[in-house]
Coordinates of all heavy atoms in Angstrom, one line a residue:
M1 N -37.0 -13.6 57.0 CA -36.2 -14.8 56.7 C -37.0 -16.0 56.8 O -36.9 -16.9 56.0 CB -35.0 -14.8 57.6 CG -34.0 -15.9 57.3 SD -32.4 -15.6 58.0 CE -32.6 -15.8 59.7
K2 N -37.8 -16.2 57.8 CA -38.7 -17.4 58.0 C -39.6 -17.5 56.8 O -40.0 -18.6 56.4 CB -39.4 -17.4 59.3 CG -38.5 -17.5 60.5 CD -39.3 -17.4 61.8 CE -38.4 -17.5 63.0 NZ -39.1 -17.4 64.2
V3 N -40.1 -16.4 56.3 CA -41.1 -16.4 55.2 C -40.5 -17.1 54.0 O -41.1 -17.9 53.3 CB -41.6 -15.0 54.9 CG1 -42.4 -15.0 53.6 CG2 -42.4 -14.5 56.1
A4 N -39.2 -16.8 53.7 CA -38.5 -17.3 52.5 C -38.4 -18.8 52.7 O -38.6 -19.6 51.7 CB -37.2 -16.7 52.3
V5 N -37.9 -19.3 53.8 CA -37.7 -20.7 54.0 C -39.0 -21.4 53.9 O -39.2 -22.5 53.3 CB -37.0 -20.9 55.4 CG1 -36.9 -22.4 55.7 CG2 -35.6 -20.3 55.4
L6 N -40.1 -20.9 54.5 CA -41.4 -21.5 54.5 C -41.9 -21.6 53.1 O -42.5 -22.6 52.7 CB -42.4 -20.7 55.4 CG -43.8 -21.2 55.4 CD1 -43.8 -22.6 56.0 CD2 -44.7 -20.3 56.3
T7 N -41.7 -20.5 52.3 CA -42.2 -20.5 50.9 C -41.5 -21.6 50.1 O -42.2 -22.3 49.3 CB -41.9 -19.1 50.3 OG1 -42.6 -18.1 51.1 CG2 -42.4 -19.1 48.9
I8 N -40.2 -21.7 50.3 CA -39.5 -22.8 49.5 C -39.9 -24.2 50.0 O -40.1 -25.1 49.2 CB -38.0 -22.6 49.7 CG1 -37.5 -21.3 49.0 CG2 -37.2 -23.7 49.0 CD1 -38.0 -21.1 47.6
A9 N -40.1 -24.3 51.3 CA -40.6 -25.6 51.8 C -41.9 -26.0 51.2 O -42.1 -27.1 50.8 CB -40.6 -25.6 53.3
V10 N -42.8 -25.0 51.1 CA -44.1 -25.3 50.5 C -44.0 -25.7 49.0 O -44.6 -26.6 48.5 CB -45.1 -24.1 50.7 CG1 -46.3 -24.3 49.9 CG2 -45.4 -23.9 52.2
A11 N -43.1 -25.0 48.3 CA -42.9 -25.3 46.9 C -42.3 -26.7 46.7 O -42.8 -27.4 45.9 CB -41.9 -24.2 46.3
M12 N -41.4 -27.0 47.6 CA -40.8 -28.4 47.5 C -41.8 -29.5 47.8 O -41.9 -30.5 47.1 CB -39.6 -28.5 48.4 CG -38.4 -27.8 48.0 SD -36.9 -28.0 49.0 CE -37.4 -27.8 50.6
L13 N -42.6 -29.2 48.8 CA -43.7 -30.2 49.1 C -44.7 -30.3 48.0 O -45.2 -31.4 47.8 CB -44.3 -29.8 50.5 CG -43.4 -29.9 51.7 CD1 -44.1 -29.4 52.9 CD2 -43.0 -31.4 51.9
T14 N -45.0 -29.2 47.4 CA -46.0 -29.2 46.3 C -45.5 -30.1 45.2 O -46.2 -30.9 44.6 CB -46.3 -27.8 45.8 OG1 -46.8 -27.0 46.9 CG2 -47.2 -27.8 44.7
V15 N -44.2 -29.9 44.9 CA -43.6 -30.7 43.8 C -43.6 -32.2 44.1 O -44.0 -33.0 43.3 CB -42.1 -30.3 43.5 CG1 -41.4 -31.2 42.6 CG2 -42.1 -28.9 42.9
C16 N -43.3 -32.5 45.4 CA -43.2 -33.9 45.8 C -44.6 -34.5 45.9 O -44.7 -35.7 45.8 CB -42.5 -34.0 47.1 SG -40.7 -33.8 46.9
S17 N -45.6 -33.8 46.2 CA -46.9 -34.3 46.4 C -47.7 -34.4 45.1 O -48.8 -35.0 45.0 CB -47.7 -33.5 47.4 OG -48.0 -32.2 46.9
S18 N -47.2 -33.9 44.0 CA -47.9 -34.0 42.7 C -47.7 -35.3 42.1 O -46.7 -36.0 42.4 CB -47.4 -32.9 41.8 OG -46.1 -33.2 41.2
S19 N -48.6 -35.7 41.3 CA -48.5 -37.0 40.6 C -47.4 -37.1 39.7 O -46.9 -38.2 39.3 CB -49.8 -37.4 39.9 OG -50.1 -36.4 38.9
A20 N -46.9 -36.0 39.2 CA -45.8 -36.0 38.3 C -44.4 -35.7 38.9 O -43.5 -35.3 38.3 CB -46.0 -34.9 37.2
S21 N -44.3 -35.9 40.2 CA -43.1 -35.6 40.9 C -41.9 -36.4 40.4 O -40.7 -35.9 40.6 CB -43.3 -35.7 42.4 OG -43.5 -37.1 42.7
S22 N -42.1 -37.6 39.9 CA -40.9 -38.3 39.4 C -40.4 -37.7 38.1 O -39.3 -38.1 37.7 CB -41.4 -39.8 39.2 OG -42.4 -39.8 38.2
D23 N -41.1 -36.8 37.5 CA -40.7 -36.1 36.3 C -40.6 -34.6 36.5 O -41.2 -33.9 35.8 CB -41.6 -36.4 35.1 CG -41.7 -37.9 34.8 OD1 -40.6 -38.6 34.8 OD2 -42.8 -38.4 34.5
V24 N -39.9 -34.2 37.5 CA -39.8 -32.8 37.8 C -39.1 -32.1 36.6 O -38.1 -32.5 36.1 CB -39.0 -32.6 39.1 CG1 -38.7 -31.1 39.4 CG2 -39.7 -33.2 40.3
C25 N -39.7 -31.0 36.3 CA -39.2 -30.2 35.2 C -37.7 -29.7 35.5 O -37.5 -29.1 36.5 CB -40.1 -29.0 34.9 SG -39.4 -27.7 33.8
P26 N -36.8 -30.0 34.6 CA -35.4 -29.6 34.9 C -35.3 -28.1 35.0 O -34.5 -27.6 35.8 CB -34.6 -30.1 33.7 CG -35.4 -31.2 33.1 CD -36.8 -30.9 33.4
G27 N -36.1 -27.4 34.3 CA -36.1 -25.9 34.4 C -36.5 -25.4 35.8 O -36.0 -24.4 36.3
F28 N -37.4 -26.2 36.4 CA -37.8 -25.8 37.8 C -36.6 -25.9 38.7 O -36.4 -25.1 39.5 CB -39.0 -26.7 38.3 CG -39.3 -26.4 39.7 CD1 -40.1 -25.3 40.1 CD2 -38.9 -27.3 40.7 CE1 -40.4 -25.1 41.4 CE2 -39.2 -27.0 42.1 CZ -39.9 -25.9 42.4
L29 N -35.9 -27.0 38.5 CA -34.7 -27.2 39.4 C -33.6 -26.1 39.1 O -33.0 -25.7 40.0 CB -34.1 -28.6 39.2 CG -35.1 -29.7 39.5 CD1 -34.5 -31.1 39.2 CD2 -35.5 -29.7 41.0
Q30 N -33.5 -25.8 37.8 CA -32.5 -24.7 37.5 C -33.0 -23.4 38.1 O -32.2 -22.6 38.7 CB -32.4 -24.5 36.0 CG -31.5 -23.4 35.6 CD -31.5 -23.2 34.1 OE1 -32.3 -23.7 33.4 NE2 -30.6 -22.3 33.7
A31 N -34.3 -23.1 38.1 CA -34.8 -21.9 38.7 C -34.6 -21.9 40.2 O -34.3 -20.8 40.8 CB -36.3 -21.7 38.3
L32 N -34.8 -23.0 40.8 CA -34.6 -23.1 42.3 C -33.2 -22.9 42.6 O -32.9 -22.2 43.6 CB -35.1 -24.5 42.7 CG -35.1 -24.8 44.2 CD1 -36.1 -23.8 44.9 CD2 -35.4 -26.2 44.5
E33 N -32.3 -23.5 41.9 CA -30.8 -23.3 42.1 C -30.5 -21.8 41.9 O -29.7 -21.3 42.7 CB -30.0 -24.2 41.2 CG -28.5 -24.1 41.5 CD -27.6 -25.0 40.8 OE1 -28.2 -25.9 40.1 OE2 -26.4 -24.9 40.8
S34 N -31.0 -21.2 40.9 CA -30.7 -19.8 40.6 C -31.2 -18.9 41.7 O -30.6 -18.0 42.2 CB -31.3 -19.4 39.3 OG -31.0 -18.1 39.0
L35 N -32.4 -19.3 42.3 CA -33.0 -18.5 43.4 C -32.0 -18.5 44.6 O -31.9 -17.4 45.2 CB -34.3 -19.2 43.8 CG -35.0 -18.6 45.1 CD1 -35.4 -17.2 44.9 CD2 -36.2 -19.5 45.5
F36 N -31.4 -19.6 44.8 CA -30.5 -19.7 46.0 C -29.1 -19.2 45.8 O -28.4 -18.8 46.7 CB -30.6 -21.1 46.6 CG -31.8 -21.3 47.4 CD1 -32.9 -22.0 46.8 CD2 -32.0 -20.9 48.6 CE1 -34.0 -22.3 47.5 CE2 -33.2 -21.1 49.3 CZ -34.2 -21.8 48.7
M37 N -28.6 -19.4 44.5 CA -27.2 -19.2 44.4 C -26.8 -18.0 43.4 O -25.7 -17.5 43.5 CB -26.5 -20.5 43.8 CG -26.8 -21.7 44.8 SD -26.4 -21.4 46.5 CE -24.7 -21.0 46.5
D38 N -27.6 -17.6 42.5 CA -27.2 -16.6 41.5 C -27.6 -15.2 42.0 O -28.4 -15.0 42.8 CB -28.0 -16.9 40.2 CG -27.5 -18.1 39.4 OD1 -26.4 -18.6 39.7 OD2 -28.2 -18.6 38.5
P39 N -26.9 -14.3 41.3 CA -27.3 -12.9 41.6 C -28.7 -12.6 41.1 O -29.2 -13.3 40.2 CB -26.2 -12.0 40.9 CG -25.6 -13.0 39.9 CD -25.8 -14.4 40.4
E40 N -29.3 -11.6 41.6 CA -30.7 -11.2 41.2 C -30.9 -11.1 39.7 O -31.9 -11.6 39.1 CB -31.1 -9.9 41.9 CG -32.6 -9.6 41.7 CD -32.9 -8.3 42.4 OE1 -32.7 -8.2 43.6 OE2 -33.5 -7.4 41.8
S41 N -29.9 -10.5 39.0 CA -30.1 -10.3 37.6 C -30.1 -11.6 36.8 O -30.9 -11.8 35.9 CB -28.9 -9.4 37.0 OG -27.7 -10.1 37.3
R42 N -29.3 -12.6 37.2 CA -29.4 -13.9 36.6 C -30.7 -14.6 36.9 O -31.3 -15.3 36.0 CB -28.2 -14.7 37.0 CG -28.2 -16.2 36.5 CD -28.0 -16.3 35.0 NE -28.1 -17.7 34.6 CZ -28.9 -18.1 33.7 NH1 -29.6 -17.3 32.9 NH2 -29.0 -19.4 33.4
Y43 N -31.1 -14.5 38.1 CA -32.4 -15.2 38.5 C -33.5 -14.6 37.7 O -34.4 -15.3 37.2 CB -32.6 -15.0 40.0 CG -34.0 -15.5 40.5 CD1 -34.2 -16.9 40.4 CD2 -34.9 -14.7 41.0 CE1 -35.4 -17.4 40.8 CE2 -36.1 -15.2 41.4 CZ -36.4 -16.6 41.3 OH -37.6 -17.1 41.8
K44 N -33.5 -13.3 37.5 CA -34.6 -12.6 36.7 C -34.6 -13.2 35.2 O -35.6 -13.4 34.6 CB -34.4 -11.1 36.7 CG -35.6 -10.4 36.0 CD -35.4 -8.9 36.2 CE -36.6 -8.2 35.5 NZ -36.5 -6.8 35.5
E45 N -33.4 -13.4 34.7 CA -33.2 -13.9 33.3 C -33.9 -15.3 33.3 O -34.6 -15.7 32.3 CB -31.8 -14.0 32.9 CG -31.1 -12.7 32.6 CD -29.7 -12.9 32.3 OE1 -29.2 -14.0 32.1 OE2 -29.0 -11.8 32.3
V46 N -33.6 -16.1 34.3 CA -34.1 -17.5 34.4 C -35.7 -17.4 34.4 O -36.4 -18.2 33.7 CB -33.6 -18.3 35.6 CG1 -34.3 -19.6 35.8 CG2 -32.1 -18.5 35.4
L47 N -36.2 -16.5 35.2 CA -37.7 -16.4 35.3 C -38.3 -15.9 33.9 O -39.3 -16.5 33.5 CB -38.0 -15.4 36.4 CG -37.7 -15.8 37.8 CD1 -38.2 -14.7 38.7 CD2 -38.4 -17.1 38.2
E48 N -37.6 -15.0 33.3 CA -38.1 -14.4 32.1 C -38.2 -15.4 31.0 O -39.0 -15.3 30.0 CB -37.3 -13.2 31.7 CG -37.6 -12.0 32.6 CD -36.7 -10.8 32.3 OE1 -35.6 -10.9 31.7 OE2 -37.1 -9.7 32.8
F49 N -37.4 -16.4 31.0 CA -37.4 -17.5 30.0 C -38.8 -18.1 29.9 O -39.2 -18.5 28.8 CB -36.3 -18.5 30.3 CG -36.3 -19.7 29.4 CD1 -35.7 -19.6 28.1 CD2 -36.9 -20.9 29.7 CE1 -35.7 -20.6 27.3 CE2 -36.9 -22.0 28.8 CZ -36.3 -21.8 27.6
Y50 N -39.5 -18.2 31.0 CA -40.8 -18.8 31.0 C -42.0 -17.9 30.8 O -43.1 -18.2 30.9 CB -41.0 -19.6 32.4 CG -40.0 -20.6 32.5 CD1 -38.8 -20.4 33.2 CD2 -40.1 -21.8 31.8 CE1 -37.8 -21.4 33.3 CE2 -39.1 -22.8 31.9 CZ -38.0 -22.6 32.7 OH -37.1 -23.6 32.8
S51 N -41.7 -16.6 30.4 CA -42.7 -15.6 30.1 C -43.8 -15.4 31.1 O -44.9 -15.3 30.7 CB -43.3 -15.9 28.7 OG -42.3 -16.0 27.7
P52 N -43.4 -15.3 32.4 CA -44.5 -15.0 33.4 C -44.9 -13.5 33.3 O -44.2 -12.7 32.7 CB -43.8 -15.3 34.7 CG -42.4 -15.0 34.5 CD -42.1 -15.4 33.0
S53 N -46.0 -13.2 33.9 CA -46.4 -11.8 33.9 C -45.5 -11.0 34.8 O -44.7 -11.6 35.6 CB -47.9 -11.7 34.5 OG -47.8 -12.1 35.9
S54 N -45.6 -9.7 34.7 CA -44.7 -8.8 35.5 C -44.9 -9.0 37.0 O -44.0 -8.9 37.8 CB -44.8 -7.4 35.0 OG -46.1 -6.9 35.2
E55 N -46.2 -9.3 37.3 CA -46.5 -9.5 38.7 C -45.8 -10.7 39.3 O -45.3 -10.7 40.4 CB -48.0 -9.6 38.9 CG -48.8 -8.4 38.7 CD -49.2 -8.2 37.2 OE1 -49.0 -9.1 36.4 OE2 -49.6 -7.1 36.8
L56 N -45.7 -11.8 38.5 CA -45.1 -13.0 38.9 C -43.6 -12.8 39.0 O -42.9 -13.3 39.9 CB -45.4 -14.2 38.0 CG -46.9 -14.6 37.9 CD1 -47.1 -15.8 37.0 CD2 -47.4 -15.0 39.3
I57 N -43.0 -12.1 38.1 CA -41.6 -11.8 38.1 C -41.3 -10.9 39.4 O -40.3 -11.2 40.1 CB -41.1 -11.0 36.9 CG1 -41.1 -12.0 35.7 CG2 -39.7 -10.4 37.1 CD1 -40.7 -11.4 34.3
D58 N -42.1 -9.9 39.6 CA -41.9 -9.1 40.8 C -42.0 -10.0 42.1 O -41.2 -9.8 43.0 CB -43.0 -8.0 40.9 CG -42.8 -6.9 39.9 OD1 -41.7 -6.9 39.3 OD2 -43.7 -6.2 39.6
A59 N -42.9 -10.9 42.1 CA -43.0 -11.8 43.3 C -41.8 -12.6 43.4 O -41.2 -12.8 44.6 CB -44.3 -12.7 43.2
G60 N -41.3 -13.1 42.3 CA -40.0 -13.9 42.3 C -38.8 -13.1 42.8 O -38.0 -13.6 43.6
I61 N -38.8 -11.9 42.4 CA -37.7 -11.0 42.8 C -37.8 -10.7 44.3 O -36.8 -10.7 45.0 CB -37.6 -9.7 42.0 CG1 -37.3 -10.0 40.5 CG2 -36.6 -8.7 42.5 CD1 -36.0 -10.8 40.2
Q62 N -39.0 -10.5 44.8 CA -39.2 -10.3 46.2 C -38.7 -11.5 47.0 O -38.1 -11.3 48.1 CB -40.6 -9.9 46.5 CG -41.1 -8.6 46.1 CD -42.5 -8.3 46.4 OE1 -43.0 -8.7 47.4 NE2 -43.2 -7.6 45.5
L63 N -39.1 -12.7 46.5 CA -38.6 -13.9 47.2 C -37.1 -14.0 47.2 O -36.5 -14.3 48.2 CB -39.3 -15.1 46.5 CG -38.8 -16.5 47.1 CD1 -39.2 -16.6 48.6 CD2 -39.5 -17.6 46.3
K64 N -36.5 -13.7 46.0 CA -35.0 -13.7 45.9 C -34.4 -12.8 46.9 O -33.4 -13.2 47.5 CB -34.7 -13.3 44.4 CG -33.2 -13.1 44.2 CD -32.5 -14.4 44.2 CE -31.0 -14.2 43.8 NZ -30.2 -15.2 44.5
K65 N -34.9 -11.6 47.1 CA -34.4 -10.7 48.1 C -34.4 -11.2 49.5 O -33.5 -11.1 50.3 CB -35.1 -9.3 48.0 CG -34.7 -8.6 46.7 CD -35.5 -7.3 46.6 CE -35.0 -6.6 45.3 NZ -35.7 -5.3 45.1
L66 N -35.5 -11.9 49.8 CA -35.6 -12.6 51.1 C -34.6 -13.7 51.2 O -33.9 -13.9 52.3 CB -37.0 -13.1 51.4 CG -38.1 -12.1 51.6 CD1 -39.5 -12.7 51.6 CD2 -37.8 -11.4 52.9
V67 N -34.5 -14.5 50.2 CA -33.6 -15.7 50.2 C -32.1 -15.2 50.4 O -31.3 -15.8 51.1 CB -33.7 -16.5 49.0 CG1 -32.6 -17.5 48.8 CG2 -35.1 -17.3 49.0
D68 N -31.8 -14.1 49.7 CA -30.4 -13.5 49.8 C -30.0 -13.1 51.2 O -28.9 -12.8 51.4 CB -30.3 -12.4 48.8 CG -30.1 -12.9 47.3 OD1 -30.0 -14.2 47.2 OD2 -30.2 -12.1 46.4
T69 N -31.0 -12.9 52.1 CA -30.7 -12.6 53.5 C -30.2 -13.8 54.3 O -29.6 -13.6 55.3 CB -31.9 -11.9 54.2 OG1 -32.9 -12.9 54.4 CG2 -32.4 -10.7 53.5
L70 N -30.4 -15.0 53.7 CA -29.9 -16.2 54.4 C -28.4 -16.3 54.2 O -27.9 -16.0 53.1 CB -30.6 -17.4 53.8 CG -32.1 -17.5 54.0 CD1 -32.6 -18.7 53.2 CD2 -32.4 -17.7 55.5
P71 N -27.6 -16.9 55.1 CA -26.2 -17.1 54.9 C -26.0 -18.1 53.8 O -26.8 -18.9 53.5 CB -25.8 -17.7 56.2 CG -26.8 -17.4 57.2 CD -28.1 -17.2 56.5
E72 N -24.9 -17.9 53.1 CA -24.6 -18.8 51.9 C -24.7 -20.3 52.2 O -25.2 -21.1 51.5 CB -23.3 -18.4 51.3 CG -23.0 -19.2 50.0 CD -21.7 -18.8 49.4 OE1 -21.0 -17.8 49.8 OE2 -21.3 -19.5 48.4
E73 N -24.1 -20.6 53.4 CA -24.1 -22.0 53.8 C -25.5 -22.6 54.0 O -25.8 -23.7 53.6 CB -23.3 -22.2 55.0 CG -23.0 -23.7 55.4 CD -22.2 -24.4 54.3 OE1 -21.3 -23.8 53.6 OE2 -22.3 -25.7 54.2
T74 N -26.4 -21.8 54.5 CA -27.8 -22.2 54.7 C -28.4 -22.4 53.3 O -29.2 -23.3 53.1 CB -28.5 -21.1 55.5 OG1 -27.9 -21.0 56.8 CG2 -30.0 -21.5 55.6
R75 N -28.2 -21.5 52.4 CA -28.8 -21.6 51.0 C -28.3 -22.9 50.4 O -29.0 -23.6 49.7 CB -28.4 -20.4 50.2 CG -29.2 -19.1 50.7 CD -28.9 -17.9 49.8 NE -27.7 -17.3 50.2 CZ -26.8 -16.8 49.4 NH1 -27.0 -16.7 48.1 NH2 -25.7 -16.2 49.9
K76 N -27.0 -23.2 50.5 CA -26.4 -24.4 50.0 C -27.1 -25.6 50.6 O -27.4 -26.6 49.9 CB -24.9 -24.5 50.1 CG -24.2 -23.6 49.3 CD -22.7 -23.7 49.5 CE -21.9 -22.7 48.7 NZ -20.4 -22.8 49.0
N77 N -27.3 -25.6 51.9 CA -27.9 -26.7 52.6 C -29.4 -26.9 52.2 O -29.9 -28.0 52.2 CB -27.8 -26.6 54.1 CG -26.4 -26.9 54.6 OD1 -25.6 -27.6 53.9 ND2 -26.0 -26.3 55.7
I78 N -30.1 -25.8 51.9 CA -31.5 -25.9 51.5 C -31.5 -26.6 50.1 O -32.4 -27.4 49.8 CB -32.1 -24.5 51.4 CG1 -32.4 -24.0 52.8 CG2 -33.5 -24.6 50.7 CD1 -32.8 -22.5 52.9
L79 N -30.6 -26.3 49.2 CA -30.5 -27.0 47.9 C -30.2 -28.5 48.1 O -30.8 -29.3 47.4 CB -29.5 -26.3 47.0 CG -29.9 -25.0 46.4 CD1 -28.7 -24.4 45.6 CD2 -31.1 -25.2 45.5
K80 N -29.3 -28.8 49.1 CA -29.1 -30.2 49.4 C -30.3 -30.9 49.9 O -30.6 -32.0 49.5 CB -27.9 -30.3 50.4 CG -26.6 -30.0 49.8 CD -25.5 -30.0 50.9 CE -24.2 -29.5 50.4 NZ -23.2 -29.5 51.5
L81 N -31.0 -30.2 50.7 CA -32.3 -30.7 51.3 C -33.3 -31.0 50.1 O -34.0 -32.0 50.1 CB -32.9 -29.8 52.3 CG -34.3 -30.2 52.9 CD1 -34.3 -31.5 53.5 CD2 -34.8 -29.1 53.8
S82 N -33.4 -30.0 49.2 CA -34.3 -30.1 48.1 C -34.0 -31.4 47.3 O -34.8 -32.1 46.9 CB -34.2 -28.9 47.2 OG -34.5 -27.7 47.9
D83 N -32.7 -31.5 47.0 CA -32.2 -32.7 46.2 C -32.6 -34.0 47.0 O -33.1 -34.9 46.4 CB -30.7 -32.6 46.0 CG -30.2 -33.8 45.1 OD1 -30.7 -33.9 44.0 OD2 -29.4 -34.5 45.6
K84 N -32.3 -34.0 48.3 CA -32.6 -35.2 49.1 C -34.1 -35.5 49.0 O -34.5 -36.7 48.8 CB -32.2 -35.0 50.5 CG -32.5 -36.2 51.4 CD -31.5 -36.4 52.5 CE -31.7 -37.6 53.3 NZ -31.3 -38.8 52.7
I85 N -35.0 -34.5 49.1 CA -36.4 -34.8 49.0 C -36.8 -35.2 47.7 O -37.6 -36.2 47.5 CB -37.2 -33.5 49.4 CG1 -37.0 -33.2 50.9 CG2 -38.7 -33.6 49.1 CD1 -37.5 -31.8 51.4
L86 N -36.3 -34.6 46.6 CA -36.8 -34.9 45.3 C -36.3 -36.2 44.8 O -36.9 -36.8 43.9 CB -36.3 -33.8 44.3 CG -37.0 -32.5 44.5 CD1 -36.4 -31.4 43.6 CD2 -38.5 -32.6 44.1
T87 N -35.2 -36.7 45.4 CA -34.6 -38.0 45.0 C -35.1 -39.1 45.9 O -34.7 -40.3 45.7 CB -33.1 -38.0 44.9 OG1 -32.5 -37.6 46.1 CG2 -32.7 -37.0 43.8
S88 N -35.8 -38.8 46.9 CA -36.3 -39.8 47.9 C -37.3 -40.7 47.3 O -38.2 -40.2 46.6 CB -36.8 -39.1 49.1 OG -37.5 -40.0 49.9
P89 N -37.3 -42.0 47.6 CA -38.4 -42.9 47.1 C -39.7 -42.5 47.7 O -40.8 -42.8 47.1 CB -38.0 -44.2 47.7 CG -36.6 -44.2 48.1 CD -36.3 -42.7 48.3
R90 N -39.8 -41.7 48.8 CA -41.0 -41.3 49.4 C -41.6 -40.1 48.6 O -42.8 -39.7 48.8 CB -40.8 -40.9 50.8 CG -40.4 -42.0 51.7 CD -40.2 -41.6 53.1 NE -40.0 -42.8 53.9 CZ -40.1 -42.8 55.2 NH1 -40.5 -41.7 55.8 NH2 -39.9 -43.9 55.9
C91 N -40.8 -39.4 47.8 CA -41.3 -38.2 47.2 C -42.5 -38.4 46.3 O -43.5 -37.6 46.4 CB -40.2 -37.6 46.3 SG -40.5 -35.9 45.7
N92 N -42.6 -39.5 45.6 CA -43.8 -39.7 44.7 C -44.9 -40.4 45.4 O -45.9 -40.7 44.8 CB -43.4 -40.4 43.4 CG -42.9 -41.8 43.7 OD1 -42.8 -42.2 44.8 ND2 -42.5 -42.5 42.6
K93 N -44.8 -40.6 46.7 CA -45.9 -41.3 47.5 C -46.8 -40.3 48.2 O -47.7 -40.7 48.8 CB -45.3 -42.2 48.5 CG -44.6 -43.4 47.9 CD -44.0 -44.3 49.0 CE -43.3 -45.5 48.3 NZ -42.8 -46.4 49.3
G94 N -46.5 -39.0 48.1 CA -47.3 -38.0 48.7 C -46.9 -37.7 50.1 O -45.8 -38.3 50.6
L95 N -47.6 -37.0 50.8 CA -47.3 -36.6 52.2 C -47.9 -37.5 53.2 O -49.0 -37.2 53.7 CB -47.7 -35.1 52.4 CG -47.0 -34.1 51.6 CD1 -47.6 -32.7 51.8 CD2 -45.5 -34.1 51.8
Q96 N -47.2 -38.6 53.5 CA -47.7 -39.5 54.5 C -46.6 -39.7 55.5 O -45.6 -40.3 55.3 CB -48.0 -40.9 53.8 CG -49.0 -40.8 52.8 CD -49.2 -42.1 52.0 OE1 -48.5 -43.1 52.3 NE2 -50.2 -42.2 51.2
F97 N -46.9 -39.0 56.7 CA -45.9 -39.1 57.7 C -46.2 -40.2 58.7 O -47.2 -40.6 59.0 CB -45.9 -37.7 58.5 CG -45.5 -36.6 57.6 CD1 -46.4 -35.7 57.1 CD2 -44.1 -36.4 57.3 CE1 -46.0 -34.7 56.3 CE2 -43.8 -35.3 56.5 CZ -44.7 -34.5 56.0

């Protein structure tokens, strides 16, 4: 369970620390929401839209299985946290604590 949360945290930080963070791909946000809220079959459809290799799809499905072990309220709160980070004025300034 900790691995899934850590993986998502790293992904969010990567997005926020990139120079293009103010222009986050809407598809990335849709995929992130699907990861946390949709059934596995729908998440796989979202991933397949971007034509990743089978290895990348398999990795995404493994992550989805870990995320699905989290309580629903926790998954909703992680999405709220993601939104808060991505809309923060600090997001495009990099990781300066």
Side-chain angles (χ1 to χ4, degrees):
M1 185 162 68
K2 291 179 183 179
V3 173
V5 174
L6 178 61
T7 302
I8 297 307
V10 170
M12 290 186 307
L13 292 173
T14 301
V15 169
C16 287
S17 64
S18 76
S19 60
S21 64
S22 61
D23 298 321
V24 175
C25 170
F28 175 79
L29 299 177
Q30 179 187 8
L32 186 64
E33 183 174 351
S34 181
L35 172 66
F36 284 100
M37 302 311 298
D38 287 343
E40 185 179 309
S41 60
R42 173 67 183 130
Y43 177 62
K44 186 175 181 183
E45 289 175 11
V46 170
L47 294 181
E48 288 174 341
F49 177 79
Y50 297 98
S51 303
S53 67
S54 61
E55 292 84 13
L56 296 180
I57 290 176
D58 289 345
I61 296 301
Q62 287 179 37
L63 177 61
K64 173 71 175 147
K65 288 177 180 180
L66 289 170
V67 167
D68 285 349
T69 65
L70 296 169
E72 183 177 355
E73 190 63 27
T74 299
R75 290 183 278 141
K76 287 178 181 179
N77 285 335
I78 291 171
L79 285 175
K80 289 177 187 176
L81 173 62
S82 301
D83 183 59
K84 179 147 182 79
I85 292 170
L86 291 171
T87 58
S88 167
R90 294 180 175 200
C91 190
N92 63 0
K93 292 181 181 179
L95 297 175
Q96 299 173 356
F97 296 102

